[in-house]
Amino acid sequence: MVTARAAATFDPDGRSAAAARGFVRDALLGWGLPEVVDDAVVLVSELVTNAVVHAGTAAEVCCLREEETVRIEVTDHHPERGLPFLSDGHRYADPDGEGGRGLLMCSALAERWGVEYAAGQKTVWFRLALPAHVVGTRYAVPATPGSDLPSSPGPVHVAVVQLDEDGRVLAWNRDAEALFQYPTAAVLGRPWADLAAWPQSPGRGLGLTDTLRLARWEGGYGIRRADGEEVEVYGVQVRVRDTEGVPSTLCLLVLEPDRAVLRSPARALPGERPDPAGPRLDLLAGPVATDDLDTLLQRTVERARDLLDADAAYLLLTTDDETEFEVRAVTGLNTGHRRHARFPVGTGNRYDSARLPSVHEDLATRPTGLPLLTDSGMRSLVTVPLKVEGRLIGSLGIATAVPGRYDNEDALRLQFAADRVALAVESTRLTELERLRRGSLSFLVEASDLLAGTLEHEQTLALMAQMAVPTLSSWCAVYTNGDHGSSAGLAFVLHEDEDRIDPLRELLDKTPAPEAGPTHGVRFWAAPAETAETRGLTDSPELAGLLGETVVLPLTARNRVIGLLALGVPAGVRFRQEILELAEDLSRRAALALDNSRLYSERTATSQALQRSLLPPDLPEIPGVEVDVYYQAAGEGNEVGGDFYDLFTIREGTYGFAIGDVCGTGPEAASVTGLARHSLRLLAREGLDAPQVLRRLNAAILDEGSRSRFLTLLYGELTPRPDGSTELSLVCAGHPLPLRLRTDGRVDRAATPQPLLGVMDDLDLTAEHLVLAPGEVLLCVTDGVTERREGRRMLGDDGLAEVLTGCTGLTAGAVAMRVQRAVERFAPEPPSDDMAILTLRVPNQRQS
């Protein structure tokens, strides 16, 4: 049965995967299901990416909350992607390939999944199981030996009494009425302390209030009956919670002779009488979430401190290789040691064995080597190991400022409590590691998405640092290798506290850059701390506590180290192994993104330099003629366009001008562009007229063979005349025709079309002559202007002529800008083709 539903549709673009992840995360958190968020986000990210990137359609995401599961559906409208295939010896296709990766991840993470096809669409769905909610506590114990069965003259009464959080009676069954002679109405709401005769032994055991808060306790004590007589009973107390999370204590009571009914065989041997004054310690009492390791550990040390009347307590967990202890919880110690600091396993134990309980009677006489207790004022110390199946997983210690406070009996009691808590700690730690693993996978998916979203070099550097801080470290520095094998240089610095970025950068500028080293792996780097100490900067307020453990990771892409990633944490903190492993994964992804951005930047710079080389550096000043040029290359600037223009001196008083468009883009088009521009200058200065110049250029283009490209070209020669007019000789070889603006606003074509260049061997070209009178304008453009489109509309020659009609009286520069604005405003999208505009205007005599 579906109890909640959330759905959204995402457009087919690169931002949809991130938007879908955010939608699913918000929906599940809003339903109070954080346990399944990481798995759901990873699967939805892959499936939406398949839909919008590979299939190229919109993706519909639907989240359905059911009674015991969450079902998520991702639908696209182009069902062409197949299921993973079965092949000889392989269950699935290549897991590193793109095809079917989302389905492979569904099979790994989801409880159930499937694919449904319908007309024009495909739906991939998966189910994630919700964690079971267990109410109360269940126990199972071995059968009681026959010799311990109760011997009773009559029926055995088992009184059931339920107490609220304040120790008042909530429930009282009929057996309780029979045993203690109180009717139910007389005891409901009464404090349990009024009825229970609890043994009072100063300095030993727990009081009644503390015992009621234990997760489980059993032992003997007395109950005052209604007639005033005190009867001895044996009881079992269990701490439970109702469906709303409200705690209470359930007490099961029998008369002392019937104790075998309730007694746990593991706790008492035949003939043994439980000692009510000395109940064993229970460190798991209280409402602690079993999936929250930090809370569990902190509650454990606090209860250990309180139950043994200590001043301080700490809990250490071993690293994966069991060679070091890591500080995970501390109470009562103000020595400045931070969580996750590490010490060798043998540190602090006089017998050099952390696998045995140990009692330190006076630390002043025989101090421990544990840095955690240095200058803490503690005198007595008890340490016990935490073991699971014989494997050391941690160490629990309690300490007090009084010497000789603890003995072997205290150590054994603490060891019993540690044995009970060890399994819960290990189970919760494994749950935390699994949650971190899945969180790491989600983090890497997000990082890959962000890094793939840009090719800008500086932005990639910033993203690398922002992904690392503060998730992996408190500060980050990125070093990039220079050209020709030069040493790495500091490229970017980030600290979680913005006020510390500048002091950190100054320190790193003074520190020699780390060596490149191997192409993989983490290396520790002590140079920043050494530089600070050498220069006397360790006590400066800006660097106080800044430098703790620092590591360096190589940025390796395409089997080459292109830079280094330095990560640092504050003083007293050490990197956890899982953080270092995650940092390695991030560095590999970041290195590839950084190398891609570098290659893209180099290609863009090369293309722009080549583009500039194909255009004239300066335009000559022509007496009596205004000249203005507007040029704009389309795209992202990483390809050389085919449009070009030129204006040059042929001989004194005569000038050549050209505007052309080579078919295509890239190196081949650039080679023809360069050939055309330089050939025009050379041939025109040899004294050839316009048709001869173009015929020679046509032959040169055809000589290029397979590298040749056809070329449209408007070439002309202009000569200013003494009367203020300008004489023009034009050849328009397949190019958009030039337009002439007269002083009265009329616009007409200034030439007729002739064959383009680079196609036929023999061209019959003719020069056309005209004279521009003062105030008239000649407009020359490439097809990026006339073929500007919006849907099915195109600007065309007529639209350009209409724009030019309104330019009467404007200067050459104003005409070019008016045309450029008209082209940009014709459609909301940016122009997709190169655009060149060349305007020639003969000014009126009074203007000149």
Side-chain angles (χ1 to χ4, degrees):
M1 182 178 66
V2 176
T3 60
R5 183 181 187 275
T9 301
F10 302 94
D11 295 331
D13 57 53
R15 298 184 298 272
S16 293
R21 289 196 296 271
F23 163 72
V24 172
R25 182 182 293 109
D26 292 342
L28 297 182
L29 290 178
W31 293 343
L33 304 175
E35 302 88 350
V36 298
V37 166
D38 286 338
D39 285 350
V41 164
V42 169
L43 295 178
V44 167
S45 177
E46 287 295 331
L47 296 177
V48 171
T49 299
N50 287 343
V52 302
V53 176
H54 304 309
T57 74
E60 301 171 6
V61 180
C62 180
C63 302
L64 303 173
R65 178 176 178 177
E66 300 168 334
E67 291 184 349
E68 297 181 354
T69 62
V70 169
R71 175 182 170 117
I72 298 181
E73 302 172 350
V74 179
T75 302
D76 64 58
H77 301 279
H78 191 64
E80 293 185 355
R81 301 189 61 80
L83 295 173
F85 62 86
L86 296 174
S87 60
D88 296 338
H90 296 83
R91 184 177 180 185
Y92 292 103
D94 177 17
D96 295 327
E98 290 293 329
R101 186 171 64 184
L103 302 182
L104 288 175
M105 296 183 69
C106 284
S107 67
L109 298 179
E111 180 185 46
R112 298 183 65 187
W113 66 278
V115 183
E116 298 175 357
Y117 290 91
Q121 71 178 32
K122 178 188 71 179
T123 300
V124 180
W125 61 269
F126 60 88
R127 275 192 171 96
L128 299 175
L130 299 179
H133 178 66
V134 181
V135 180
T137 306
R138 299 179 177 88
Y139 293 94
V141 298
T144 302
S147 59
D148 286 345
L149 292 178
S151 176
S152 175
V156 175
H157 294 283
V158 180
V160 179
V161 181
Q162 188 173 9
L163 310 175
D164 64 13
E165 178 71 8
D166 298 324
R168 297 179 180 274
V169 178
L170 284 176
W172 185 270
N173 72 342
R174 290 185 178 180
D175 279 4
E177 292 180 345
L179 286 179
F180 310 129
Q181 302 176 358
Y182 288 103
T184 302
V187 295
L188 291 182
R190 288 186 61 181
W192 186 236
D194 292 349
L195 305 177
W198 196 258
Q200 301 294 328
S201 302
R204 296 189 61 201
L206 298 175
L208 175 61
T209 302
D210 291 334
T211 304
L212 292 177
R213 295 185 181 277
L214 298 177
R216 191 179 190 278
W217 179 91
E218 63 179 270
Y221 55 97
I223 296 291
R224 302 181 187 91
R225 294 196 311 192
D227 58 7
E229 183 181 351
E230 182 177 313
V231 294
E232 192 172 359
V233 298
Y234 189 88
V236 173
Q237 298 173 179
V238 179
R239 189 79 161 169
V240 297
R241 288 178 173 273
D242 61 18
T243 56
E244 297 180 356
V246 178
S248 61
T249 302
L250 189 65
C251 303
L252 306 180
L253 305 169
V254 296
L255 296 178
E256 174 61 26
D258 301 329
R259 63 183 180 275
V261 173
L262 300 179
R263 185 178 57 193
S264 299
R267 292 178 54 89
L269 298 174
E272 177 189 31
R273 182 182 181 87
D275 182 4
R280 295 180 176 179
L281 301 180
D282 190 340
L283 302 179
L284 293 178
V288 179
T290 57
D291 61 344
D292 186 348
L293 181 61
D294 290 335
T295 301
L296 174 63
L297 299 182
Q298 192 61 36
R299 288 291 303 273
T300 298
V301 297
E302 290 173 358
R303 286 194 60 80
R305 178 196 61 187
D306 296 341
L307 294 179
L308 284 174
D309 196 21
D311 296 318
Y314 61 85
L315 195 149
L316 315 176
L317 293 183
T318 57
T319 54
D320 292 339
D321 57 5
E322 299 183 17
T323 61
E324 289 184 310
F325 278 131
E326 184 178 58
V327 179
R328 294 301 301 268
V330 176
T331 182
L333 294 174
N334 298 315
T335 58
H337 285 279
R338 300 174 184 246
R339 291 178 63 235
H340 305 302
R342 293 183 181 180
F343 317 107
V345 166
T347 302
N349 194 296
R350 70 176 65 175
Y351 306 111
D352 198 28
S353 174
R355 291 169 171 79
L356 297 173
S358 178
V359 178
H360 301 256
E361 298 174 349
D362 191 350
L363 298 180
T365 304
R366 299 188 63 181
T368 177
L370 189 66
L372 199 63
L373 297 175
T374 302
D375 298 327
S376 64
M378 297 295 108
R379 299 288 296 275
S380 297
L381 172 67
V382 177
T383 61
V384 295
L386 274 68
K387 295 182 180 180
V388 174
E389 297 179 351
R391 181 172 57 88
L392 181 69
I393 68 164
S395 177
L396 175 64
I398 61 168
T400 181
V402 179
R405 177 68 175 273
Y406 300 118
D407 54 21
N408 290 342
E409 182 179 349
D410 295 315
L412 293 176
R413 294 178 65 204
L414 185 61
Q415 182 67 70
F416 172 79
D419 291 342
R420 293 198 60 195
V421 79
L423 187 59
V425 169
E426 180 67 0
S427 174
T428 307
R429 179 162 71 164
L430 293 176
T431 301
E432 181 190 65
L433 291 176
E434 178 66 14
R435 185 169 62 249
L436 286 174
R437 184 189 67 81
R438 297 188 178 188
S440 298
L441 184 59
S442 179
F443 168 78
L444 292 175
V445 168
E446 192 85 20
S448 299
D449 187 46
L450 289 173
L451 291 171
T454 180
L455 286 172
E456 296 294 332
H457 191 66
E458 294 299 325
Q459 188 174 0
T460 303
L461 290 172
L463 281 175
M464 290 170 56
Q466 291 166 7
M467 294 301 298
V469 177
T471 304
L472 304 179
S473 61
S474 62
W475 64 267
C476 169
V478 182
Y479 292 82
T480 56
N481 290 346
D483 298 330
H484 309 296
S486 59
S487 60
L490 184 61
F492 198 88
V493 177
L494 182 66
H495 193 283
E496 59 186 352
D497 183 356
E498 292 184 359
D499 295 336
R500 292 197 158 193
I501 294 178
D502 290 339
L504 177 60
R505 176 180 286 276
E506 292 178 4
L507 175 63
L508 294 179
D509 284 336
K510 300 173 183 177
T511 303
E515 298 294 332
T519 59
H520 63 277
V522 179
R523 292 181 293 126
F524 291 94
W525 188 36
E530 293 173 354
T531 300
E533 184 176 359
T534 301
R535 296 176 178 267
L537 303 175
T538 53
D539 296 330
S540 65
E542 295 84 2
L543 298 179
L546 177 66
L547 299 175
E549 197 169 66
T550 304
V551 297
V552 173
L553 300 97
L555 297 173
T556 305
R558 299 174 177 90
N559 297 320
R560 184 171 60 90
V561 177
I562 63 170
L564 298 164
L565 180 66
L567 304 176
V569 290
V573 177
R574 299 185 66 180
F575 282 102
R576 300 173 63 181
Q577 184 61 35
E578 56 267 24
I579 293 296
L580 295 179
E581 293 172 357
L582 185 57
E584 283 193 85
D585 287 335
L586 177 63
S587 68
R588 285 192 289 268
R589 288 164 170 78
L592 188 59
L594 185 63
D595 198 43
N596 288 340
S597 69
R598 178 188 61 82
L599 295 174
Y600 178 82
S601 298
E602 291 178 356
R603 178 181 176 183
T604 300
T606 301
S607 299
Q608 291 174 348
L610 180 57
Q611 185 76 69
R612 288 192 299 269
S613 71
L614 300 177
L615 300 175
D618 297 303
L619 297 178
E621 293 186 3
I622 304 176
V625 179
E626 293 179 3
V627 180
D628 198 88
V629 175
Y630 176 83
Y631 178 84
Q632 176 179 314
E636 300 179 354
N638 63 335
E639 286 192 357
V640 179
D643 289 11
F644 70 96
Y645 65 91
D646 201 1
L647 181 65
F648 55 91
T649 302
I650 298 177
R651 54 187 172 271
E652 185 175 355
T654 300
Y655 302 86
F657 66 93
I659 184 169
D661 185 3
V662 178
C663 172
T665 59
E668 292 82 2
S671 65
V672 176
T673 301
L675 173 65
R677 194 171 76 84
H678 295 294
S679 296
L680 284 175
R681 289 191 173 211
L682 179 63
L683 295 172
R685 288 169 179 170
E686 288 294 322
L688 302 178
D689 60 15
Q692 292 174 327
V693 168
L694 267 60
R695 281 193 289 267
R696 295 281 186 90
L697 175 59
N698 180 65
I701 294 174
L702 292 175
D703 288 343
E704 292 294 307
S706 62
R707 296 180 299 176
S708 65
R709 294 288 187 273
F710 66 80
L711 165 67
T712 69
L713 179 66
L714 172 63
Y715 173 71
E717 297 178 358
L718 65 89
T719 304
R721 301 198 307 191
D723 61 357
S725 63
T726 299
E727 181 180 358
L728 295 172
S729 174
L730 301 175
V731 178
C732 186
H735 198 76
L737 298 178
L739 300 179
R740 179 180 185 177
L741 174 63
R742 299 183 183 272
T743 55
D744 59 1
R746 288 183 297 118
V747 175
D748 52 31
R749 295 176 179 177
T752 57
Q754 301 188 55
L756 52 77
L757 308 181
V759 178
M760 299 181 294
D761 290 331
D762 296 326
L763 295 180
D764 185 13
L765 301 174
T766 304
E768 301 181 66
H769 301 276
L770 73 150
V771 176
L772 285 182
E776 293 185 339
V777 176
L778 184 71
L779 174 64
C780 313
V781 300
T782 58
D783 59 5
V785 174
T786 56
E787 295 181 2
R788 173 69 160 147
R789 295 179 180 273
E790 182 191 26
R792 296 184 177 181
R793 292 194 314 126
M794 186 172 72
L795 180 62
D797 294 337
D798 294 338
L800 180 61
E802 184 178 348
V803 174
L804 187 58
T805 300
C807 297
T808 304
L810 298 181
T811 64
V815 173
M817 293 306 298
R818 179 75 64 88
V819 174
Q820 180 264 333
R821 287 197 298 270
V823 172
E824 288 192 346
R825 294 173 180 174
F826 188 77
E829 299 83 10
S832 59
D833 195 5
D834 299 337
M835 180 168 53
I837 303 171
L838 173 65
T839 56
L840 304 174
R841 179 177 181 271
V842 179
N844 295 319
Q845 294 295 327
R846 62 178 178 273
Q847 290 179 333
S848 58

